[in-house]
Amino acid sequence: MGTFQIEGGQQLSGEIQPQGAKNEALQILCAVLLTSDEVVINNIPDILDVNKLIQLLENLGVKIKKLGKGSYSFKSDDLNLDYLSSEQFKKDGSGLRGSIMIVGPLLARFGKGFIPKPGGDKIGRRRLDTHFEGFIKLGAKFRYNKEERFYGVEAPNGLKGDYMLLEEASVTGTANIVMAAVLAEGTTTIYNAACEPYLQQLCTMLNSMGAKISGVGSNLLTIEGVDSLKGCEHRILPDMVEIGSWIGMAAMTKSEITIKNVRWDMLGIIPTTFRKLGITIEHRGDDIFIPAHTSGYEVQSFIDGSIMNISDAPWPGFTPDLLSILLVVATQARGSVLIHQKMFESRLFFVDKLIDMGAKIILCDPHRATVIGHDFQSQLKATTMTSPDIRAGISLLIAALSAKGTSTIHNIEQIDRGYENIDERLKAIGAKIERVA
């Protein structure tokens, strides 16, 4: 396992450019399977999860060319579908949760799709029912090999559009169903569809390829099936989760940071939610400027004076990927806040590491934690930690950057799964961080 050593207590300064959005990239890359034409994608982040998916696509027979930093062309005109029944595919697919989204495009274009049970973060149960119930609604037959934990759907006679009301507004589930429905016969209506910016971007890309999707940005999508799709060029959004991470890092380290080219129009309530913790966020053109919080930051209260409660929700609610960041930032706020993680029951289990560092946190249950801020009167203490998942990992890294002494974080592959070249980018703005074997 890789390790970071971080000398905390350094005030950072400068500009940082967010990478391309990880969650969007995983969807967009799967969509290249929908056409035999060339598709060019720009601003692809150079991170483990995305690179694993690119390798999987190459193993499937997609012709891939690197055009420049973050830019690739993909051509899916001669796929090796036998790969889907190989031992190599079982290994490749089970190591990456985003691999589930190849099923919809393969089902739509070739009448069959298979996937081993995907991997990913260990943050609680993450059901795949929404994906397969949607495929079944479109006319596919579902099968599951329990011994090998292998899923399959087949529609040798093609898919037919239908109305469906999703049980949950799953982002990847909606993306998978949309990619299957664009080549289905007739009209598909998806109610309670996810409407995150990632999904909006996918629909915009598919429409540029010739799909007919309306209602983009809402939870009611209507898809008129077409016979085929053509190639296109697409640019991935800046990663809003990384942008939120840099906001939190700047506040915790009392640093003056400018986050460049953030696509403010796609950030939703992220800036507003950080402001609830008292963090000053200035909107400058398409940049975010965070001044040095030398006097700290104070948690707001509700109108009736009750304790602030911040929770996650499907978009346009607050993304669950940033609750871990908010929690660690709250440890140095002036005041108290209740963090309520509604969507994943294991995502708060990293708080014991913060408590070891001196944070005042009461873990009420798997979903709720009360944080009593130090107001910088007591600095967190350096310690040795292990990163359990991507978002907990970056939260622990932020804590270490603000702490007194030198911290060690093991299993940093989890951080590398979602953050591109993070140590070098942090060094460029003054962080003292080293990657060691």
Side-chain angles (χ1 to χ4, degrees):
M1 293 191 300
T3 298
F4 280 144
Q5 286 186 343
I6 304 106
E7 185 181 331
Q10 311 299 315
Q11 197 168 20
L12 314 179
S13 178
E15 297 180 349
I16 195 160
Q17 176 82 34
Q19 67 187 32
K22 165 185 175 283
N23 291 341
E24 179 189 341
L26 296 176
Q27 297 180 24
I28 296 299
L29 287 170
C30 293
V32 307
L33 296 170
L34 284 165
T35 178
S36 59
D37 290 352
E38 183 181 60
V39 176
V40 175
I41 304 176
N42 302 308
N43 203 30
I44 297 175
D46 183 10
I47 55 177
L48 283 180
D49 275 12
V50 168
N51 292 338
K52 281 184 180 180
L53 182 55
I54 290 174
Q55 184 61 57
L56 186 153
L57 292 174
E58 191 166 49
N59 292 344
L60 183 55
V62 180
K63 299 182 180 74
I64 303 173
K65 295 179 184 176
K66 186 169 184 178
L67 308 177
K69 179 174 169 45
S71 295
Y72 290 80
S73 71
F74 302 85
K75 193 171 178 62
S76 307
D77 60 341
D78 187 22
L79 298 183
N80 175 23
L81 297 182
D82 291 338
Y83 166 67
L84 299 175
S85 55
S86 70
E87 289 299 318
Q88 184 62 44
F89 176 61
K90 291 178 184 177
K91 179 182 177 182
D92 295 343
S94 61
L96 174 68
R97 185 167 183 83
S99 62
I100 182 64
M101 287 181 288
I102 70 169
V103 177
L106 291 173
L107 177 64
R109 190 168 160 212
F110 301 103
K112 60 182 179 180
F114 308 105
I115 196 73
K117 186 172 183 181
D121 286 329
K122 307 305 181 188
I123 55 176
R125 293 170 295 170
R126 305 173 80 181
R127 297 182 298 122
L128 299 176
D129 300 52
T130 301
H131 300 252
F132 292 108
E133 286 171 0
F135 297 148
I136 292 167
K137 267 285 191 179
L138 294 174
K141 293 183 178 180
F142 171 72
R143 57 189 177 87
Y144 175 49
N145 184 323
K146 190 173 183 180
E147 289 183 1
E148 297 188 2
R149 304 175 85 190
F150 208 76
Y151 302 88
V153 278
E154 295 179 344
N157 298 319
L159 300 172
K160 296 188 183 302
D162 201 349
Y163 170 86
M164 60 187 80
L165 172 60
L166 303 187
E167 182 183 343
E168 61 171 345
S170 164
V171 179
T172 55
T174 302
N176 228 346
I177 297 166
V178 167
M179 288 189 282
V182 291
L183 295 180
E185 179 185 337
T187 302
T188 300
T189 304
I190 308 173
Y191 194 28
N192 195 30
C195 52
E196 271 77 357
Y198 319 127
L199 206 287
Q200 295 177 41
Q201 285 282 100
L202 173 66
C203 291
T204 299
M205 173 181 166
L206 292 173
N207 281 343
S208 73
M209 295 169 71
K212 296 180 179 178
I213 307 170
S214 58
V216 178
S218 76
N219 69 346
L220 181 60
L221 295 176
T222 302
I223 304 158
E224 301 287 342
V226 297
D227 292 333
S228 63
L229 296 178
K230 60 184 180 181
C232 73
E233 184 166 355
H234 177 82
R235 182 172 182 82
I236 292 172
L237 287 174
D239 195 312
M240 65 180 181
V241 180
E242 192 179 84
I243 292 165
S245 303
W246 303 146
I247 293 172
M249 179 191 70
M252 277 285 281
T253 58
K254 297 185 178 181
S255 301
E256 183 178 291
I257 300 290
T258 298
I259 310 169
K260 300 293 292 181
N261 305 313
V262 299
R263 278 297 301 270
W264 183 279
D265 59 311
M266 286 292 195
L267 293 179
I269 65 169
I270 290 173
T272 302
T273 306
F274 276 98
R275 286 170 176 152
K276 289 180 180 180
L277 293 185
I279 297 171
T280 300
I281 297 175
E282 296 182 17
H283 182 190
R284 297 183 175 181
D286 200 32
D287 301 340
I288 287 176
F289 175 72
I290 311 293
H293 286 69
T294 53
S295 300
Y297 43 93
E298 184 172 1
V299 181
Q300 297 176 7
S301 298
F302 286 116
I303 293 173
D304 63 0
S306 58
I307 185 173
M308 176 57 62
N309 182 342
I310 297 176
S311 59
D312 58 339
W315 193 270
F318 188 71
T319 174
D321 284 344
L322 280 174
L323 270 190
S324 302
I325 308 294
L326 277 179
L327 189 149
V328 74
V329 173
T331 63
Q332 287 294 5
R334 188 160 52 251
S336 302
V337 62
L338 175 67
I339 302 293
H340 190 174
Q341 169 60 268
K342 295 179 180 177
M343 297 174 68
F344 302 107
E345 68 266 24
S346 303
R347 219 165 198 174
L348 297 181
F349 286 170
F350 75 101
V351 302
D352 59 326
K353 313 294 191 304
L354 298 176
I355 294 170
D356 287 345
M357 299 177 79
K360 295 179 180 177
I361 304 172
I362 302 167
L363 187 60
C364 310
D365 56 41
H367 291 277
R368 296 176 300 161
T370 300
V371 185
I372 301 96
H374 282 305
D375 190 19
F376 292 102
Q377 298 302 305
S378 175
Q379 195 173 359
L380 295 181
K381 301 183 296 290
T383 189
T384 298
M385 304 167 275
T386 298
S387 173
D389 65 69
I390 300 174
R391 307 311 174 189
I394 193 67
S395 301
L396 295 174
L397 177 54
I398 291 171
L401 287 168
S402 74
K404 182 178 181 180
T406 301
S407 294
T408 300
I409 303 178
H410 298 298
N411 195 29
I412 59 172
E413 288 81 5
Q414 288 287 355
I415 301 173
D416 289 334
R417 285 179 51 215
Y419 292 82
E420 178 180 326
N421 197 23
I422 189 169
D423 47 333
E424 295 302 320
R425 294 162 73 201
L426 290 177
K427 282 181 184 179
I429 57 173
K432 291 188 176 181
I433 176 172
E434 295 296 335
R435 183 184 295 261
V436 296

